[in-house]
Amino acid sequence: MQSKKDSWIETITNTTIGYLVAVASQVVIFPFFGIYIPLMDNFIMAIWFTVVSLVRGYLVRRWFTKRTEND
């Protein structure tokens, strides 16, 4: 069984990696679609999506953990 603390650690690690990949992807992909924004705006957009991802990832993990505890 995974503790709540371990769920957060896993979610934060996974999401941090996702954040770095998202920023790098935005910097590379946006210009192909004619989107040119300052690098700082890329970081800010990625932070917003990261916060959403952290909450989503934690809630999904806890839901699955609770579901498997009841089996």
Side-chain angles (χ1 to χ4, degrees):
M1 179 170 79
Q2 188 176 50
S3 70
K4 290 180 181 183
K5 180 183 174 186
D6 288 340
S7 293
W8 267 117
I9 292 170
E10 178 184 339
T11 300
I12 289 168
T13 301
N14 187 29
T15 305
T16 300
I17 293 167
Y19 173 78
L20 297 172
V21 170
V23 170
S25 296
Q26 288 168 197
V27 169
V28 171
I29 294 170
F30 280 8
F32 287 111
F33 294 93
I35 302 170
Y36 300 96
I37 62 174
L39 185 58
M40 186 54 77
D41 289 349
N42 273 309
F43 285 122
I44 292 169
M45 282 185 357
I47 286 171
W48 172 254
F49 291 122
T50 298
V51 169
V52 171
S53 182
L54 275 170
V55 172
R56 176 199 45 82
Y58 178 77
L59 292 174
V60 168
R61 169 64 67 179
R62 295 311 307 159
W63 178 67
F64 271 93
T65 299
K66 187 173 197 118
R67 225 182 87 209
T68 57
E69 287 173 356
N70 294 330
D71 289 344

